Amino acid sequence: MDTYRCLNDTRKGLVETLIESWLFVAAMISAIAVGAILFFLIYFAWPIFHEDHLWKLLSWYWRPFQDQFGILPMVAGSVLLGISSMLLAYPMGIGVCCCVYGLGPRWLSGLTLMIVRIMTSVPTVVYGFVSVFLLVPFLREFFYHGSGFSWLAATLTLSLLVLPTVTLIVNAQFELFDPEIRLATTALGFSPIKQLIWVVIPASYKGLLAAAVLGFGRAVGDTIISLMVSGNSPQFPHSMLDSIRTLTAHVALVVSTEAGSMAYNSLFAAGIMLFGVSALVNGALRFIRAGSE
Amino acid sequence: MAFPSTSCSVFAQNLSVSFSARQVINNLSVEISSRNITVIVGRSGVGKSTFLRSLNRLNEEISGSRTEGTVKLSFKDGTVDIYRDRFPIEELRRRVGMVFQTPHPIPTSIGKNLSLPLKLVLNLPSRKIDDRIEKALTIVHLWSEVKNRLKEPALSLSGGQQQRLCLARTLALEPEILLLDEPTASLDFKASEKIEDLLSELKRDYTIISVSHSIGQARRIADNVLVMKEGSIIKVLAASQFQEKGTLEDLLNEVF
Ligand SMILES: Nc1ncnc2c1ncn2[C@@H]1O[C@H](COP(=O)(O)OP(=O)(O)OP(=O)(O)O)[C@@H](O)[C@H]1O
Ligand SMILES: [Mg+2]
């Protein structure tokens, strides 16, 4: 009996060591990969930190044939699109979660969650495609303004893409809430809405923040939708019906069309900015998690 | 159906509760008198908590539950047939205050555990809330322990302090019927004694129904003891029947 137990123990130890070393290797590989990406980005972008180059990049004009390589319109495009799609998707996602979490009828909540889960598995390009053929023509006819490829079209489409991210994170956080505490507050006479607003949501603020940060990261990081439906004019939009170009779409477009060295250099600047956004998102998530302890 | 007598405040008839087809409360009928302490005793799992929850319609919040039968409660302003009358359920639950077997404070500060229900359920203006909080915490003998830490998280309190906090939270809402599920389970004997004294005081204004696993406690505080077995009440004992030490134990030994 004793030998058996002993044997069993060492085997378990071996498995554990294997898993641990495998995890360590995986972690090291990802860390090295991220480090290498950052290194090459900075290495290739180094020339642009030359003073006159930098000023060229920090301008509002992207006219590569006239030697103007400003990326500010794209920065503005990314930020504006990220914010506008979050302004739409975030309240919608929280609304869906509230509905799922007891405000709506039970059958509806199951159905909604199922639809949201399916939405995550639809390839992004499908959203773009559908949008180009349905939403864009509709906007064009409805507003009589431009081609329909616009900040508004990208916002509407992108918010659909971000909605599941927001919903699933917030819902997971809501589900962590102790059902016994819900029962206890119900017994005190709280209505479901009061319970949600005053008890569950305050206790879930971490998930709400994480959903906002991750959703924004996802919106800024998306390429296909902005490339397909935003119109891609490198300009600062004056209305939501104007066309915009995001940093990600910019990179995709320039890589596939240009080869001039200055144009490429500007891409590395764009890359560094996107990297910075994702670093900020990660930093913010860490900060949110640490906030609890 | 008229209420059987004016001194009766809880009346249940043919009450049955099941969870996913498993019957837990079985054709239970009982009358519980007002301004009295009624103690429910019975083995673990016989349905004591479930019976308490059927008096404030809380079983409905548990998925898969089904309730049949009649429960009538008499309040100061009239009688409510809680499963038939269209009485607002939140108001019913406020009037039938319940303290759970294990304390479940809201994960926020100690003070907010009391102020939130007062604000949201009772719509009390904020100037009255502080007074009410102090009063409620004082009667459960918690005020001196927490008066300087009302902003601290409720979960930083000990189990017994949390239990008294939850009792205070319910009392602050001024219910008319009080359901207590082992209110002294995590208290030391000194604190239990204080709560027992408190209950004996409170019965002047409230109808108290308390589950207890302590026969000693039942003898000390109960005006009536209900013995539960297999989801029904099989015996009702009045205080006069068990005043002598040992008689309650003997009576219970017979039926357990
Ligand atoms: N939420 C629930 N879902 C399903 N079954 C439940 C639920 N709550 C209680 N039950 C079942 O109902 C029966 C009675 O439970 P209840 O909690 O009322 O017993 P109790 O008399 O209060 O026991 P104890 O003295 O241990 O607290 C048990 O068999 C239990 O498994
Ligand atoms: Mg119980």
Side-chain angles (χ1 to χ4, degrees):
Chain A
M1 201 58 201
D2 265 342
T3 41
Y4 174 75
R5 192 180 296 150
C6 203
L7 221 158
N8 219 14
D9 276 350
T10 44
R11 192 177 300 158
K12 195 178 159 210
L14 192 70
V15 171
E16 264 171 21
T17 340
L18 271 180
I19 291 176
E20 263 171 28
S21 40
W22 181 70
L23 284 178
F24 179 75
V25 170
M28 283 315 284
I29 290 177
S30 356
I32 290 170
V34 171
I37 291 173
L38 185 59
F39 172 78
F40 282 113
L41 269 177
I42 293 179
Y43 179 79
F44 284 115
W46 197 247
I48 62 174
F49 291 110
H50 222 270
E51 203 167 312
D52 48 330
H53 282 193
L54 196 60
W55 284 117
K56 264 188 195 165
L57 289 181
L58 295 181
S59 99
W60 287 98
Y61 299 102
W62 172 263
R63 291 168 189 145
F65 299 112
Q66 295 158 30
D67 211 25
Q68 287 180 315
F69 297 99
I71 59 166
L72 288 186
M74 282 59 102
V75 174
S78 278
V79 171
L80 288 177
L81 182 57
I83 290 175
S84 63
S85 43
M86 278 308 281
L87 280 181
L88 198 59
Y90 194 63
M92 236 167 31
I94 291 178
V96 168
C97 289
C98 291
C99 179
V100 165
Y101 198 77
L103 293 196
R106 244 170 228 174
W107 61 269
L108 187 66
S109 66
L111 191 71
T112 323
L113 265 193
M114 200 177 74
I115 291 174
V116 167
R117 292 223 170 84
I118 292 174
M119 280 170 77
T120 59
S121 56
V122 175
T124 319
V125 69
V126 175
Y127 287 98
F129 191 73
V130 170
S131 186
V132 165
F133 282 94
L134 293 176
L135 181 65
V136 168
F138 171 77
L139 291 178
R140 183 167 53 221
E141 314 259 301
F142 192 80
F143 289 106
Y144 280 120
H145 186 287
S147 62
F149 290 96
S150 56
W151 178 15
L152 180 61
T155 299
L156 293 174
T157 317
L158 199 54
S159 59
L160 268 189
L161 182 80
V162 179
L163 178 69
T165 310
V166 172
T167 309
L168 292 179
I169 295 174
V170 173
N171 186 56
Q173 188 76 43
F174 278 5
E175 275 176 0
L176 279 182
F177 193 82
D178 186 352
E180 290 287 324
I181 298 178
R182 282 189 79 193
L183 203 63
T185 48
T186 306
L188 288 171
F190 282 58
S191 64
I193 296 180
K194 285 177 179 165
Q195 198 175 78
L196 202 65
I197 294 178
W198 294 91
V199 180
V200 180
I201 288 182
S204 312
Y205 77 98
K206 269 197 299 164
L208 292 173
L209 279 177
V213 169
L214 271 174
F216 184 75
R218 178 120 210 252
V220 170
D222 171 76
T223 312
I224 297 279
I225 285 178
S226 54
L227 188 65
M228 286 174 87
V229 301
S230 71
N232 295 313
S233 307
Q235 61 179 12
F236 189 89
H238 295 289
S239 88
M240 289 212 68
L241 298 171
D242 284 348
S243 157
I244 55 167
R245 185 189 283 196
T246 61
L247 281 171
T248 47
H250 180 64
V251 173
L253 283 168
V254 174
V255 164
S256 57
T257 55
E258 316 261 344
S261 71
M262 192 55 208
Y264 264 172
N265 282 343
S266 82
L267 295 192
F268 291 113
I272 287 180
M273 283 182 186
L274 289 170
F275 199 91
V277 168
S278 100
L280 276 181
V281 164
N282 274 297
L285 283 180
R286 266 175 187 276
F287 184 75
I288 292 167
R289 288 215 186 96
S292 66
E293 283 126 34
Chain B
M1 195 190 307
F3 229 87
S5 73
T6 45
S7 68
C8 165
S9 103
V10 176
F11 170 76
Q13 196 175 41
N14 301 334
L15 181 69
S16 296
V17 181
S18 55
F19 294 114
S20 338
R22 198 162 48 85
Q23 188 122 352
V24 173
I25 299 293
N26 233 329
N27 226 4
L28 180 153
S29 298
V30 72
E31 288 175 26
I32 291 171
S33 32
S34 62
R35 293 166 195 224
N36 259 335
I37 300 180
T38 301
V39 172
I40 304 177
V41 298
R43 304 284 297 268
S44 181
V46 290
K48 303 183 294 294
S49 302
T50 308
F51 173 59
L52 290 190
R53 284 197 303 264
S54 71
L55 301 181
N56 63 354
R57 292 182 57 183
L58 208 57
N59 286 319
E60 286 165 39
E61 303 298 314
I62 298 169
S63 64
S65 80
R66 242 182 92 84
T67 306
E68 281 166 63
T70 306
V71 174
K72 290 184 184 178
L73 305 177
S74 75
F75 297 120
K76 286 178 184 131
D77 54 359
T79 297
V80 179
D81 183 341
I82 63 169
Y83 289 100
R84 277 185 204 89
D85 293 351
R86 291 170 150 260
F87 193 78
I89 193 159
E90 277 97 29
E91 175 63 10
L92 173 79
R93 287 173 180 154
R94 181 194 70 77
R95 292 190 188 197
V96 187
M98 176 164 184
V99 180
F100 287 37
Q101 203 160 358
T102 44
H104 297 292
I106 302 170
T108 168
S109 68
I110 296 169
K112 276 204 167 165
N113 260 280
L114 288 133
S115 64
L116 270 186
L118 289 172
K119 190 166 98 184
L120 299 175
V121 179
L122 228 46
N123 295 318
L124 215 61
S126 16
R127 69 196 148 75
K128 288 193 176 165
I129 285 183
D130 287 346
D131 269 358
R132 191 70 82 91
I133 290 179
E134 181 175 344
K135 214 174 99 195
L137 287 172
T138 307
I139 53 177
V140 300
H141 305 285
L142 192 60
W143 178 247
S144 59
E145 288 159 62
V146 301
K147 67 178 175 209
N148 294 322
R149 45 191 289 207
L150 291 175
K151 293 218 156 59
E152 286 177 31
L155 290 170
S156 70
L157 294 172
S158 76
Q161 288 173 325
Q162 287 183 21
Q163 200 159 21
R164 281 176 285 158
L165 178 71
C166 289
L167 180 59
R169 181 170 78 173
T170 301
L171 289 177
L173 292 175
E174 298 191 334
E176 295 178 34
I177 297 173
L178 200 51
L179 310 176
L180 305 173
D181 207 342
E182 295 189 51
T184 59
S186 45
L187 300 185
D188 63 84
F189 86 98
K190 207 73 194 164
S192 307
E193 236 170 44
K194 283 183 180 167
I195 295 295
E196 286 172 16
D197 291 345
L198 166 67
L199 296 183
S200 306
E201 253 169 64
L202 289 176
K203 78 174 179 184
R204 270 182 284 160
D205 304 311
Y206 300 87
T207 300
I208 299 174
I209 305 175
S210 172
V211 168
S212 180
H213 276 301
S214 151
I215 292 178
Q217 182 171 68
R219 196 186 55 240
R220 283 191 297 276
I221 64 171
D223 296 300
N224 291 292
V225 170
L226 307 181
V227 185
M228 272 191 84
K229 192 173 187 179
E230 288 162 9
S232 304
I233 287 165
I234 54 161
K235 206 167 182 87
V236 181
L237 301 165
S240 55
Q241 290 171 273
F242 53 76
Q243 276 319 302
E244 268 172 60
K245 220 177 161 83
T247 43
L248 186 59
E249 281 86 339
D250 293 342
L251 284 169
L252 293 181
N253 270 331
E254 277 171 39
V255 293
F256 259 39

PDB file of all heavy atoms in Angstrom, chain B residues 165-182:
ATOM      1  N   LEU B 165     -25.368  42.210  12.325  1.00  0.00           N
ATOM      2  CA  LEU B 165     -25.578  43.265  11.325  1.00  0.00           C
ATOM      3  C   LEU B 165     -26.807  42.944  10.474  1.00  0.00           C
ATOM      4  O   LEU B 165     -27.645  43.818  10.199  1.00  0.00           O
ATOM      5  CB  LEU B 165     -24.336  43.397  10.439  1.00  0.00           C
ATOM      6  CG  LEU B 165     -24.423  44.425   9.316  1.00  0.00           C
ATOM      7  CD1 LEU B 165     -24.406  45.837   9.877  1.00  0.00           C
ATOM      8  CD2 LEU B 165     -23.290  44.255   8.313  1.00  0.00           C
ATOM      9  N   CYS B 166     -26.917  41.686  10.049  1.00  0.00           N
ATOM     10  CA  CYS B 166     -28.047  41.307   9.201  1.00  0.00           C
ATOM     11  C   CYS B 166     -29.363  41.403   9.963  1.00  0.00           C
ATOM     12  O   CYS B 166     -30.391  41.774   9.401  1.00  0.00           O
ATOM     13  CB  CYS B 166     -27.846  39.898   8.639  1.00  0.00           C
ATOM     14  SG  CYS B 166     -26.536  39.852   7.405  1.00  0.00           S
ATOM     15  N   LEU B 167     -29.320  41.077  11.258  1.00  0.00           N
ATOM     16  CA  LEU B 167     -30.525  41.232  12.076  1.00  0.00           C
ATOM     17  C   LEU B 167     -30.894  42.710  12.185  1.00  0.00           C
ATOM     18  O   LEU B 167     -32.065  43.087  12.010  1.00  0.00           O
ATOM     19  CB  LEU B 167     -30.270  40.625  13.464  1.00  0.00           C
ATOM     20  CG  LEU B 167     -31.420  40.692  14.464  1.00  0.00           C
ATOM     21  CD1 LEU B 167     -32.647  39.992  13.926  1.00  0.00           C
ATOM     22  CD2 LEU B 167     -31.013  40.063  15.808  1.00  0.00           C
ATOM     23  N   ALA B 168     -29.881  43.542  12.402  1.00  0.00           N
ATOM     24  CA  ALA B 168     -30.136  44.983  12.511  1.00  0.00           C
ATOM     25  C   ALA B 168     -30.711  45.528  11.219  1.00  0.00           C
ATOM     26  O   ALA B 168     -31.630  46.345  11.208  1.00  0.00           O
ATOM     27  CB  ALA B 168     -28.840  45.718  12.852  1.00  0.00           C
ATOM     28  N   ARG B 169     -30.163  45.051  10.097  1.00  0.00           N
ATOM     29  CA  ARG B 169     -30.601  45.499   8.781  1.00  0.00           C
ATOM     30  C   ARG B 169     -32.082  45.204   8.577  1.00  0.00           C
ATOM     31  O   ARG B 169     -32.838  46.016   8.038  1.00  0.00           O
ATOM     32  CB  ARG B 169     -29.741  44.741   7.767  1.00  0.00           C
ATOM     33  CG  ARG B 169     -29.960  45.031   6.336  1.00  0.00           C
ATOM     34  CD  ARG B 169     -28.881  44.385   5.525  1.00  0.00           C
ATOM     35  NE  ARG B 169     -29.114  42.942   5.347  1.00  0.00           N
ATOM     36  CZ  ARG B 169     -28.366  42.171   4.552  1.00  0.00           C
ATOM     37  NH1 ARG B 169     -27.337  42.683   3.908  1.00  0.00           N
ATOM     38  NH2 ARG B 169     -28.633  40.894   4.419  1.00  0.00           N
ATOM     39  N   THR B 170     -32.508  44.022   9.034  1.00  0.00           N
ATOM     40  CA  THR B 170     -33.909  43.651   8.899  1.00  0.00           C
ATOM     41  C   THR B 170     -34.793  44.431   9.869  1.00  0.00           C
ATOM     42  O   THR B 170     -35.858  44.922   9.490  1.00  0.00           O
ATOM     43  CB  THR B 170     -34.066  42.133   9.121  1.00  0.00           C
ATOM     44  OG1 THR B 170     -33.273  41.463   8.153  1.00  0.00           O
ATOM     45  CG2 THR B 170     -35.500  41.693   9.000  1.00  0.00           C
ATOM     46  N   LEU B 171     -34.311  44.577  11.130  1.00  0.00           N
ATOM     47  CA  LEU B 171     -35.116  45.297  12.121  1.00  0.00           C
ATOM     48  C   LEU B 171     -35.293  46.762  11.733  1.00  0.00           C
ATOM     49  O   LEU B 171     -36.340  47.361  11.987  1.00  0.00           O
ATOM     50  CB  LEU B 171     -34.453  45.209  13.497  1.00  0.00           C
ATOM     51  CG  LEU B 171     -34.496  43.835  14.168  1.00  0.00           C
ATOM     52  CD1 LEU B 171     -33.739  43.868  15.479  1.00  0.00           C
ATOM     53  CD2 LEU B 171     -35.932  43.406  14.389  1.00  0.00           C
ATOM     54  N   ALA B 172     -34.246  47.336  11.100  1.00  0.00           N
ATOM     55  CA  ALA B 172     -34.318  48.751  10.733  1.00  0.00           C
ATOM     56  C   ALA B 172     -35.480  49.017   9.790  1.00  0.00           C
ATOM     57  O   ALA B 172     -36.013  50.120   9.748  1.00  0.00           O
ATOM     58  CB  ALA B 172     -33.005  49.193  10.091  1.00  0.00           C
ATOM     59  N   LEU B 173     -35.876  48.010   9.018  1.00  0.00           N
ATOM     60  CA  LEU B 173     -36.974  48.187   8.066  1.00  0.00           C
ATOM     61  C   LEU B 173     -38.342  48.071   8.737  1.00  0.00           C
ATOM     62  O   LEU B 173     -39.365  48.148   8.071  1.00  0.00           O
ATOM     63  CB  LEU B 173     -36.860  47.152   6.942  1.00  0.00           C
ATOM     64  CG  LEU B 173     -35.673  47.334   5.999  1.00  0.00           C
ATOM     65  CD1 LEU B 173     -35.588  46.188   5.017  1.00  0.00           C
ATOM     66  CD2 LEU B 173     -35.795  48.642   5.244  1.00  0.00           C
ATOM     67  N   GLU B 174     -38.341  47.872  10.051  1.00  0.00           N
ATOM     68  CA  GLU B 174     -39.574  47.771  10.836  1.00  0.00           C
ATOM     69  C   GLU B 174     -40.594  46.821  10.243  1.00  0.00           C
ATOM     70  O   GLU B 174     -41.703  47.217   9.854  1.00  0.00           O
ATOM     71  CB  GLU B 174     -40.180  49.171  11.030  1.00  0.00           C
ATOM     72  CG  GLU B 174     -39.216  50.041  11.801  1.00  0.00           C
ATOM     73  CD  GLU B 174     -39.826  51.348  12.267  1.00  0.00           C
ATOM     74  OE1 GLU B 174     -40.772  51.810  11.615  1.00  0.00           O
ATOM     75  OE2 GLU B 174     -39.346  51.884  13.270  1.00  0.00           O
ATOM     76  N   PRO B 175     -40.235  45.531  10.193  1.00  0.00           N
ATOM     77  CA  PRO B 175     -41.195  44.545   9.709  1.00  0.00           C
ATOM     78  C   PRO B 175     -42.273  44.316  10.762  1.00  0.00           C
ATOM     79  O   PRO B 175     -42.181  44.848  11.861  1.00  0.00           O
ATOM     80  CB  PRO B 175     -40.336  43.288   9.527  1.00  0.00           C
ATOM     81  CG  PRO B 175     -39.219  43.448  10.492  1.00  0.00           C
ATOM     82  CD  PRO B 175     -38.980  44.915  10.639  1.00  0.00           C
ATOM     83  N   GLU B 176     -43.273  43.528  10.412  1.00  0.00           N
ATOM     84  CA  GLU B 176     -44.299  43.187  11.398  1.00  0.00           C
ATOM     85  C   GLU B 176     -44.165  41.741  11.842  1.00  0.00           C
ATOM     86  O   GLU B 176     -44.516  41.388  12.959  1.00  0.00           O
ATOM     87  CB  GLU B 176     -45.688  43.446  10.814  1.00  0.00           C
ATOM     88  CG  GLU B 176     -45.893  44.919  10.559  1.00  0.00           C
ATOM     89  CD  GLU B 176     -47.237  45.217   9.939  1.00  0.00           C
ATOM     90  OE1 GLU B 176     -48.222  44.534  10.255  1.00  0.00           O
ATOM     91  OE2 GLU B 176     -47.300  46.156   9.118  1.00  0.00           O
ATOM     92  N   ILE B 177     -43.692  40.925  10.918  1.00  0.00           N
ATOM     93  CA  ILE B 177     -43.428  39.526  11.257  1.00  0.00           C
ATOM     94  C   ILE B 177     -41.942  39.301  11.043  1.00  0.00           C
ATOM     95  O   ILE B 177     -41.363  39.793  10.070  1.00  0.00           O
ATOM     96  CB  ILE B 177     -44.249  38.589  10.349  1.00  0.00           C
ATOM     97  CG1 ILE B 177     -45.746  38.812  10.590  1.00  0.00           C
ATOM     98  CG2 ILE B 177     -43.876  37.133  10.594  1.00  0.00           C
ATOM     99  CD1 ILE B 177     -46.638  38.071   9.627  1.00  0.00           C
ATOM    100  N   LEU B 178     -41.313  38.596  11.955  1.00  0.00           N
ATOM    101  CA  LEU B 178     -39.870  38.423  11.887  1.00  0.00           C
ATOM    102  C   LEU B 178     -39.554  36.934  11.755  1.00  0.00           C
ATOM    103  O   LEU B 178     -39.944  36.134  12.615  1.00  0.00           O
ATOM    104  CB  LEU B 178     -39.265  38.983  13.175  1.00  0.00           C
ATOM    105  CG  LEU B 178     -37.800  39.365  13.210  1.00  0.00           C
ATOM    106  CD1 LEU B 178     -37.443  40.274  12.056  1.00  0.00           C
ATOM    107  CD2 LEU B 178     -37.493  40.042  14.538  1.00  0.00           C
ATOM    108  N   LEU B 179     -38.888  36.563  10.664  1.00  0.00           N
ATOM    109  CA  LEU B 179     -38.493  35.171  10.464  1.00  0.00           C
ATOM    110  C   LEU B 179     -36.997  35.059  10.740  1.00  0.00           C
ATOM    111  O   LEU B 179     -36.195  35.724  10.088  1.00  0.00           O
ATOM    112  CB  LEU B 179     -38.776  34.739   9.018  1.00  0.00           C
ATOM    113  CG  LEU B 179     -40.166  35.020   8.469  1.00  0.00           C
ATOM    114  CD1 LEU B 179     -40.237  34.624   6.989  1.00  0.00           C
ATOM    115  CD2 LEU B 179     -41.221  34.275   9.263  1.00  0.00           C
ATOM    116  N   LEU B 180     -36.627  34.240  11.681  1.00  0.00           N
ATOM    117  CA  LEU B 180     -35.216  34.124  12.041  1.00  0.00           C
ATOM    118  C   LEU B 180     -34.770  32.679  11.867  1.00  0.00           C
ATOM    119  O   LEU B 180     -35.326  31.779  12.466  1.00  0.00           O
ATOM    120  CB  LEU B 180     -35.008  34.546  13.502  1.00  0.00           C
ATOM    121  CG  LEU B 180     -35.527  35.934  13.876  1.00  0.00           C
ATOM    122  CD1 LEU B 180     -35.411  36.140  15.377  1.00  0.00           C
ATOM    123  CD2 LEU B 180     -34.755  37.003  13.133  1.00  0.00           C
ATOM    124  N   ASP B 181     -33.760  32.490  11.021  1.00  0.00           N
ATOM    125  CA  ASP B 181     -33.262  31.139  10.784  1.00  0.00           C
ATOM    126  C   ASP B 181     -31.993  30.955  11.613  1.00  0.00           C
ATOM    127  O   ASP B 181     -30.928  31.434  11.234  1.00  0.00           O
ATOM    128  CB  ASP B 181     -32.989  30.957   9.285  1.00  0.00           C
ATOM    129  CG  ASP B 181     -33.104  29.505   8.873  1.00  0.00           C
ATOM    130  OD1 ASP B 181     -33.045  28.641   9.756  1.00  0.00           O
ATOM    131  OD2 ASP B 181     -33.251  29.252   7.663  1.00  0.00           O
ATOM    132  N   GLU B 182     -32.130  30.311  12.734  1.00  0.00           N
ATOM    133  CA  GLU B 182     -31.017  30.133  13.667  1.00  0.00           C
ATOM    134  C   GLU B 182     -30.252  31.427  13.916  1.00  0.00           C
ATOM    135  O   GLU B 182     -29.093  31.556  13.524  1.00  0.00           O
ATOM    136  CB  GLU B 182     -30.066  29.062  13.132  1.00  0.00           C
ATOM    137  CG  GLU B 182     -30.734  27.709  13.095  1.00  0.00           C
ATOM    138  CD  GLU B 182     -29.729  26.630  12.772  1.00  0.00           C
ATOM    139  OE1 GLU B 182     -28.704  26.609  13.456  1.00  0.00           O
ATOM    140  OE2 GLU B 182     -29.979  25.872  11.832  1.00  0.00           O
TER     141      GLU B 182
END
